[in-house]
Amino acid sequence: RSPGSSRPGPMPDCGMPAPPRSPIRVTAISLRRRPDRWRACEDHLRGLLGDGFDMFEGTDAKAAAGDDSTAVDRVAALEAATGCTVYRGWPITEVRDVRRCYTSLSPQLSDAEAWMSYERKVAAEWRSDRSRLYLDFFLRHLTLGDVGAALSHLRVAERGHAEGLSLQVVFEDDVRPSAEALPALLRQGELLREG
């Protein structure tokens, strides 16, 4: 360490070339089917960064899943179109699990009504300060939007890794960082890279 500094000093020269330093990439994820959001995000970031960012086409899970009538068919179509596998090992993740576990539910209930009945049943059995958090974290349906967002972020991370990026900032198209916040975030990123 440098005297009086809490930061490590420079690495000693050991005759090896330093690895190339890559810039911090700023990426925004958006769906092509939402040109309004794409354009608004692109315009906002261009006003802050000029051309120092890129727009990344997100995984459109709704389009990939198609319009098949059953959830099982839509998940299968999504998996085939994106090359991913949706994990189904949770105890209750689908309405069919709710119906299997809570046989007292009327078979005439729609899927949405059956799921809401399940949530109300759990909420009634748990302390009120815990039930909502539990339901939100463990028992809510995974939506196609959730899957698409996760796959989009994974693809951005894989691309950055393949290109040797040491750090990247990833936004979704609804973020609007301020003119003060974005440079501060990037400065913090540089500090992270310096170690």
Side-chain angles (χ1 to χ4, degrees):
R1 293 183 191 269
S2 304
S5 170
S6 61
R7 300 182 75 174
M11 293 294 290
D13 183 7
C14 57
M16 298 287 291
R21 188 172 170 100
S22 63
I24 296 175
R25 176 184 287 153
V26 175
T27 298
I29 298 170
S30 191
L31 298 177
R32 284 283 180 192
R33 72 175 161 86
R34 292 298 310 267
D36 55 324
R37 291 179 66 144
W38 184 291
R39 191 171 30 262
C41 179
E42 188 174 36
D43 290 347
H44 182 79
L45 290 176
R46 183 161 286 115
L48 297 174
L49 298 170
D51 290 329
F53 71 99
D54 72 321
M55 295 295 293
F56 187 87
E57 184 174 357
T59 301
D60 192 344
K62 285 182 182 178
D67 291 326
D68 290 338
S69 60
T70 69
V72 172
D73 292 341
R74 293 188 82 195
V75 170
L78 170 71
E79 290 175 332
T82 62
C84 74
T85 301
V86 177
Y87 181 69
R88 295 177 177 86
W90 299 104
I92 295 183
T93 57
E94 300 293 338
V95 174
R96 69 173 182 254
D97 300 323
V98 170
R99 294 186 190 280
R100 177 178 45 81
C101 294
Y102 293 93
T103 56
S104 61
L105 292 176
S106 168
Q108 281 76 38
L109 290 177
S110 70
D111 284 353
E113 292 168 326
W115 190 265
M116 292 305 296
S117 295
Y118 169 59
E119 285 193 3
R120 283 191 294 275
K121 207 175 225 352
V122 170
E125 303 279 330
W126 285 57
R127 289 178 21 193
S128 61
D129 63 327
R130 302 268 173 102
S131 64
R132 186 76 251 155
L133 295 172
Y134 182 83
L135 287 169
D136 283 346
F137 188 78
F138 290 106
L139 304 178
R140 77 179 196 59
H141 272 290
L142 185 66
T143 67
L144 290 171
D146 295 334
V147 172
L151 289 172
S152 298
H153 282 267
L154 179 62
R155 289 175 43 230
V156 168
E158 287 174 337
R159 179 187 72 169
H161 177 74
E163 294 175 5
L165 289 180
S166 60
L167 188 63
Q168 61 182 333
V169 176
V170 181
F171 295 120
E172 293 193 10
D173 61 9
D174 58 349
V175 73
R176 298 295 181 267
S178 70
E180 298 80 28
L182 189 54
L185 177 63
L186 295 175
R187 281 192 304 276
Q188 291 299 312
E190 285 297 335
L191 290 173
L192 284 172
R193 286 179 6 150
E194 291 172 10

